[in-house]
Amino acid sequence: MNQTSRSSTFPTPDYSHLSVTDFDDIYEPAEDSFLLLDALEKDVDFLNSLSPLICLEVGCGSGIVITFLRQILVAPCLCLAVDRNPKAAQCTMRTGEQNHVQVEVVTSDLLNSFQPKLDGKVDVLVFNPPYVVTPPEEVEVDGLARSWAGGINGRQVLDRLLPDVHKLLSPKAVFYLVTTEENRPDEIKQLLQQDGFHSTTVLQRKSGPERLSVIKFERRLTAVT
Amino acid sequence: MRVTALRRMKLLTHNMLTSHVKGVKNGYPLKIEVNEMKIREVDFNPEFISRMIPRLEWKALYEAAQSLDVVGNLSPEVVKDYENDEDFLKEAHRVLMEVEVIKGFLICPESGRKFPIENGIPNMLLNEGEVGDAGPSQSGTSQDDDSMQ
């Protein structure tokens, strides 16, 4: 599957403004990106039922995911995006503009600058992390590899974010995460379960040697309201 | 000739940012030093603004408006029954959404560390020596020294 075979109800955001030169520095949308778009699309009614006010994408790269999220949400909301790579932050803003949606972008490391002020306030959190299993020394080195090198079990970057997820999310929030089988998704689910989240696999797809999943985490309610 | 849209930071975004320079106890709110800013008309959505009010630090917003000299009729405090006060909401909308900082700095209120706003995007990355133990988990990888003022 490539981007042209995606849904026409909610087409992939236009990123024709980005060129080969841009993709020397930022992650070019690939199967994992499109899987995430498909998962968000699959959940569009659920997402709109939440009436999210604040959405945040960590590691926005080209910007197509946060742009897409803004496009499929009906009610006005604040769409924030953060990336460690200043060029990705710039691309994300351009992608928002190209698709005529407002995205607010910050260059920062994970949730760093948005805490503590966004604690308990983010309604939709999205993260397609650097998930590829690599030697640990390849993780978080400046350059394009930063966008995909995940170190041991492909988890080194994700594991820095996980402890803060329950702090950041609002009571009715949802967190969408891209993983591969090698990331030990059951372990991730267990870690978030300890923080009060239950998980659902929204979509799975095999892409070459990668078995990708998009997992959704929501708070476990103790009583039905 | 292709016209490039100027990218910008809104005061709504500024309201949510904190400095985590090592040793800093309270890195909020960041001061703003403006080199270039503009006012841009944005569609007013009273429901959006109304829902956003409880998620804001109003005092920080008001101070930011003062420092940028865009206070106008912005109320120094959130008024009672703001959901039904269109004048209040319109002023909140104007300051949150229509004031755009294109170039400048966000400044840590405690350490004075300047974070550049490049093409309207605040760069909050810390250098290796500035990463502390307190606060959220963060990377210690260094970045350009250009951003250190």
Side-chain angles (χ1 to χ4, degrees), chain A:
Chain A
M1 168 176 287
N2 57 36
Q3 64 137 338
T4 55
S5 54
R6 280 201 66 253
S7 149
S8 58
T9 319
F10 292 109
T12 304
D14 178 13
Y15 59 99
S16 59
H17 54 290
L18 299 178
S19 69
V20 165
T21 336
D22 290 306
F23 299 131
D24 281 341
D25 300 308
I26 63 148
Y27 188 76
E28 183 173 3
E31 295 314 317
D32 51 316
S33 327
F34 305 131
L35 182 69
L36 183 51
L37 297 189
D38 287 342
L40 294 172
E41 176 171 348
K42 186 176 176 194
D43 263 16
V44 64
D45 292 339
F46 163 71
L47 284 164
N48 277 310
S49 75
L50 294 177
S51 288
L53 186 61
I54 299 178
C55 302
L56 172 63
E57 182 182 13
V58 176
C60 49
S62 66
I64 64 162
V65 174
I66 190 68
T67 298
F68 185 76
L69 184 59
R70 178 59 274 208
Q71 287 172 322
I72 67 174
L73 290 174
V74 169
C77 66
L78 172 61
C79 281
L80 294 163
V82 72
D83 203 289
R84 178 78 178 63
N85 178 349
K87 290 183 180 170
Q90 296 290 340
C91 282
T92 293
M93 209 168 233
R94 284 163 61 201
T95 300
E97 281 160 10
Q98 179 81 356
N99 291 274
H100 311 292
V101 298
Q102 288 211 16
V103 179
E104 300 301 311
V105 192
V106 173
T107 301
S108 181
D109 180 51
L110 296 181
L111 302 174
N112 187 293
S113 331
F114 283 119
Q115 289 189 288
K117 288 303 161 187
L118 275 192
D119 281 352
K121 296 176 186 172
V122 173
D123 301 309
V124 181
L125 179 67
V126 181
F127 192 22
N128 180 5
Y131 58 70
V132 178
V133 177
T134 66
E137 57 270 16
E138 287 183 23
V139 180
E140 306 198 88
V141 173
D142 280 331
L144 185 57
R146 183 189 278 282
S147 64
W148 49 260
I152 301 166
N153 297 325
R155 286 270 301 273
Q156 283 181 236
V157 180
L158 176 62
D159 284 354
R160 288 204 293 114
L161 180 109
L162 287 180
D164 291 331
V165 170
H166 76 279
K167 294 180 205 162
L168 190 81
L169 262 44
S170 64
K172 288 192 182 159
V174 62
F175 169 36
Y176 289 88
L177 175 69
V178 177
T179 64
T180 66
E181 210 49 48
E182 289 149 312
N183 299 151
R184 304 185 178 183
D186 285 344
E187 199 177 83
I188 301 170
K189 289 175 186 177
Q190 215 180 5
L191 283 169
L192 284 176
Q193 190 178 43
Q194 283 163 17
D195 284 336
F197 290 91
H198 73 88
S199 58
T200 319
T201 301
V202 182
L203 270 188
Q204 283 183 307
R205 193 171 293 155
K206 203 166 181 320
S207 168
E210 292 182 338
R211 276 175 299 161
L212 296 166
S213 299
V214 176
I215 308 173
K216 160 169 92 176
F217 298 93
E218 300 165 81
R219 290 197 199 272
R220 259 197 323 272
L221 299 171
T222 48
V224 175
T225 44

Side-chain angles (χ1 to χ4, degrees), chain B residues 8 18-20 24 37 51 71-72 77 94 96 101 103 147:
Chain B
R8 63 301 169 271
T18 300
S19 159
H20 289 291
V24 165
M37 120 185 168
R51 288 182 71 201
V71 171
E77 269 149 22
R94 179 183 62 79
L96 285 166
V101 180
K103 263 195 221 160
S147 60

Side-chain angles (χ1 to χ4, degrees), chain B residues 30-45:
Chain B
L30 292 147
K31 299 200 214 291
I32 312 176
E33 183 187 300
V34 178
N35 297 340
E36 195 179 338
M37 120 185 168
K38 69 185 260 185
I39 309 295
R40 178 157 68 134
E41 212 177 292
V42 173
D43 285 345
F44 171 52
N45 187 305

